[in-house]
């Protein structure tokens, strides 16, 4: 990641090429290129890191919404009806909780490698960071090496949030 923050390009392919170059074409980065609208007139891409993002939620709340719900609408009508298509996506299309605007590559790379989902639209030098982090963790169990006679029989795990909930 660079010290100076470069803005996103309006070209989807240019942004994807820059991401692939910066991350060395990593197999862990999933890039799903899709076409939106009834006539598939708008290109978009959904990016996430495999193992850090909640794949089921991405399929159910992002890709299904974009591919099924928007496929019934003509994007050219939506673009002309709404002065800001990105705001329309944020307010009316995406049915997820945490959405932030994305304008530069540093934020894109940091968010992508932190487990967030990135949505980029062709023709816009802006995108979205969608919070859908998830990773594998052990469940709370009794520690094998440290048995107790009285008191709780739960042991800490690698997940900090689970540990703080136990305390």
């Amino acid at each position: 990641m660079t010290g100076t923050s470069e803005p996103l390009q309006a070209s989807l392919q240019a942004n994807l090429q820059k991401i692939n170059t910066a991350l060395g074409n990593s197999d862990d980065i999933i890039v799903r290129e899709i076409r939106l609208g009834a006539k598939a007139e708008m290109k978009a891409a959904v990016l996430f890191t495999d193992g850090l993002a909640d794949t089921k939620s991405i399929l159910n709340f992002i890709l299904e919404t974009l591919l099924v719900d928007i496929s019934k609408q003509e994007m050219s009508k939506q673009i002309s009806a709404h002065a800001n298509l990105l705001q329309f996506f944020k307010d009316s299309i995406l049915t997820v909780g945490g959405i932030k605007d994305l304008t530069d590559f540093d934020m894109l790379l940091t968010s992508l490698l932190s487990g967030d989902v990135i949505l980029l639209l062709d023709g816009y030098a802006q995108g979205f960071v969608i919070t859908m982090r998830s990773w594998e963790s052990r469940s709370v169990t009794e520690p094998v090496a440290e048995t107790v006679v009285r008191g709780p029989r739960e042991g800490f795990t690698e997940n900090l949030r689970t540990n703080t909930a136990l305390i």
Side-chain angles (χ1 to χ4, degrees):
M1 292 180 232
T2 62
T4 60
S5 182
E6 294 183 43
L8 292 174
Q9 306 286 322
S11 166
L12 178 64
Q13 290 305 320
N15 287 330
L16 294 178
Q17 180 65 35
K18 185 162 180 118
I19 293 166
N20 283 335
T21 301
L23 298 177
N25 293 321
S26 174
D27 291 335
D28 294 333
I29 305 299
I30 308 299
V31 178
R32 178 76 196 272
E33 293 185 59
I34 55 178
R35 291 191 169 270
L36 306 176
K39 298 176 184 173
E41 63 260 37
M42 177 175 274
K43 292 190 294 185
V46 176
L47 298 91
F48 60 95
T49 304
D50 192 26
L52 293 180
D54 186 1
T55 308
K56 285 184 182 180
S57 294
I58 293 168
L59 293 175
N60 291 333
F61 297 111
I62 297 177
L63 289 175
E64 184 176 330
T65 299
L66 293 175
L67 293 173
V68 176
D69 298 342
I70 293 184
S71 67
K72 300 170 188 165
Q73 303 177 19
E74 284 191 43
M75 294 308 295
S76 55
K77 288 182 182 178
Q78 296 300 331
I79 293 169
S80 61
H82 299 277
N84 188 347
L85 183 68
L86 294 175
Q87 193 64 38
F88 173 68
F89 264 75
K90 192 173 179 180
D91 295 341
S92 304
I93 300 295
L94 297 172
T95 58
V96 294
I99 301 176
K100 293 187 286 188
D101 293 334
L102 175 68
T103 56
D104 61 75
F105 277 103
D106 283 349
M107 184 178 177
L108 184 148
L109 294 175
T110 301
S111 299
L112 183 62
L113 296 175
S114 297
D116 292 325
V117 179
I118 307 296
L119 174 63
L120 299 174
L121 300 172
D122 194 31
Y124 293 88
Q126 184 178 343
F128 297 115
V129 175
I130 304 167
T131 304
M132 290 199 162
R133 296 178 185 168
S134 174
W135 47 84
E136 297 297 319
S137 64
R138 289 187 302 138
S139 61
V140 177
T141 59
E142 184 175 353
V144 178
E146 300 174 11
T147 58
V148 293
V149 177
R150 287 183 20 175
R153 289 172 168 54
E154 290 92 16
F156 290 127
T157 66
E158 293 85 8
N159 188 334
L160 181 63
R161 290 196 189 265
T162 304
N163 293 341
T164 55
L166 285 173
I167 294 174

